Amino acid sequence: SACEKGGQWQQALELFENMWGERVERDTITYNAAISACEKGGKWQKALELFERKQGERVERDTISYSAAISACEKGGQWQQALALFERMWADLVKRDTIIYNAATSACEKGGQWQQALELFGRMWGERVERNTITYNDAISAFEKGGQWQQALELFERMWADGVKRDTTTYNATISASEKGRRWQPAFELFERMRGERVERDTITYNAAISACAISACEKGGQWQQALELFENMWGERVERDTITYNAAISACEKGGQWQQALELFERMRGERMERDIITYSATISACEKGGRGQQALELFENMWGERVERDTITY
């Protein structure tokens, strides 16, 4: 258990195997600790192997056993295995709780299976299993990845009615869902509501909100200024800016026809020692091209070689 908490999965397994040589009986707690060590170490195959060995040694598999095994599959991107374990619990007469449902829902969300995630979310009501913030966050994230922005917003509003607290992750997933659904107004409204609910806004929050402004700039041409305002506000709120932040802001300027602002942001990245990737270059080159600055566009294109940024069809 100490090895499991310290992230020493190999040492945990070594101790587990030594028990056999010293003729020390292994019980449910022993197996659970070893499976959990593998889960935390990202070794889903080992976790499943131990889970199956319990049956051979006639060691009872309980809620903790299933929870650790399902979480291991979830972290390993094995949503089908996670669901198979989830369904087996019924046959083993093991009760499914909120943690189990959350792990299974998260596995479906990470695997892009938003329909499966929604089905699990609905089944919790039938089994009278409490849905908490993590449950809702996973379901909203599943909708976001599936391009279902309306369903994401509906779940977001239901949280208030169900008395479930909304956190930064809740808002980030819902804002991102609105942004991907090209609904910049709901995205920006949610961004503003965070202040009223005293929910912390982080880099992901700002990135999604700035991207939403970039979409609006493309459609209406008037939101590039709002994108830059959000970008500058990050400094005041001590929120770190990353490559994605800069890319979103440059893209907003590009779509708003502001090539000078796009170039200025591009140069600032060097000052902040921020990596410039193919998206950065593509957006800045496109801004120069739209602004009739062919020379600057060509210079940027040539700079890509020096910074070892791969050029693609869009860049060309």
Side-chain angles (χ1 to χ4, degrees):
S1 185
C3 292
E4 173 250 319
K5 288 180 174 66
Q8 306 295 316
W9 68 272
Q10 290 162 308
Q11 201 164 2
L13 283 186
E14 190 178 322
L15 288 170
F16 179 84
E17 297 300 343
N18 285 347
M19 291 178 75
W20 182 264
E22 293 188 23
R23 295 182 181 180
V24 178
E25 186 180 355
R26 296 183 287 214
D27 60 9
T28 300
I29 297 170
T30 318
Y31 266 98
N32 289 351
I35 292 168
S36 187
C38 293
E39 176 255 320
K40 287 180 171 61
K43 303 296 174 183
W44 67 271
Q45 296 101 325
K46 286 283 184 185
L48 279 184
E49 183 186 317
L50 287 169
F51 182 85
E52 295 301 336
R53 277 172 67 179
K54 288 184 86 171
Q55 190 168 348
E57 290 189 25
R58 295 183 180 179
V59 177
E60 183 188 5
R61 295 185 290 209
D62 60 9
T63 305
I64 298 169
S65 316
Y66 271 99
S67 178
I70 291 170
S71 290
C73 292
E74 176 253 321
K75 287 179 180 174
Q78 306 298 312
W79 68 270
Q80 289 162 310
Q81 252 101 331
L83 277 186
L85 286 170
F86 178 85
E87 296 301 341
R88 275 172 65 179
M89 293 181 75
W90 185 263
D92 282 356
L93 302 175
V94 179
K95 187 180 179 181
R96 296 185 284 219
D97 61 11
T98 304
I99 295 169
I100 294 285
Y101 264 100
N102 287 351
T105 305
S106 181
C108 293
E109 177 260 318
K110 286 182 171 65
Q113 306 298 311
W114 68 268
Q115 295 100 329
Q116 294 279 6
L118 180 60
E119 185 189 331
L120 289 171
F121 183 84
R123 282 169 68 176
M124 291 180 79
W125 181 265
E127 290 187 27
R128 295 184 180 179
V129 178
E130 183 185 2
R131 296 186 285 208
N132 60 16
T133 303
I134 296 169
T135 318
Y136 272 96
N137 289 352
D138 287 338
I140 291 170
S141 291
F143 281 135
E144 179 254 325
K145 286 182 172 64
Q148 307 297 312
W149 67 271
Q150 290 164 307
Q151 284 91 331
L153 279 175
E154 283 174 18
L155 273 186
F156 177 86
E157 296 301 342
R158 269 178 64 181
M159 290 179 78
W160 182 266
D162 288 352
V164 180
K165 187 179 179 181
R166 298 184 286 218
D167 61 10
T168 303
T169 305
T170 318
Y171 270 97
N172 288 352
T174 315
I175 291 169
S176 184
S178 300
E179 177 256 316
K180 287 179 180 174
R182 306 187 71 82
R183 295 296 185 272
W184 68 271
Q185 285 175 314
F188 200 70
E189 284 168 13
L190 288 165
F191 180 85
E192 290 300 326
R193 279 172 69 177
M194 291 180 80
R195 183 178 293 171
E197 289 190 25
R198 295 183 180 180
V199 178
E200 184 184 1
R201 299 188 287 208
D202 61 11
T203 305
I204 297 168
T205 319
Y206 270 96
N207 289 352
I210 293 169
S211 293
C213 288
I215 288 166
S216 176
C218 179
E219 292 174 351
K220 297 188 177 181
Q223 298 300 321
W224 66 271
Q225 291 157 310
Q226 200 162 10
L228 285 188
E229 190 179 323
L230 288 171
F231 180 86
E232 297 301 341
N233 285 348
M234 292 178 77
W235 182 265
E237 289 192 24
R238 296 182 181 179
V239 178
E240 187 178 353
R241 295 184 285 221
D242 59 12
T243 301
I244 296 169
T245 318
Y246 269 96
N247 289 351
I250 291 170
S251 181
C253 293
E254 177 259 322
K255 288 178 173 64
Q258 306 298 313
W259 66 271
Q260 291 150 309
Q261 294 281 4
L263 269 181
E264 185 186 320
L265 288 169
F266 179 85
E267 292 303 330
R268 278 173 67 177
M269 291 183 79
R270 182 181 291 172
E272 291 191 24
R273 294 183 180 178
M274 199 75 63
E275 183 187 1
R276 299 188 285 207
D277 60 16
I278 191 166
I279 297 169
T280 320
Y281 271 97
S282 295
T284 314
I285 290 169
S286 181
C288 291
E289 178 262 320
K290 286 179 180 177
R293 300 289 163 174
Q295 187 61 40
Q296 275 101 329
L298 280 176
E299 285 173 10
L300 287 167
F301 181 80
E302 295 302 330
N303 282 349
M304 292 180 77
W305 182 262
E307 289 193 25
R308 295 181 181 179
V309 179
E310 190 178 350
R311 297 183 280 217
D312 64 2
T313 308
I314 296 168
T315 322
Y316 271 100

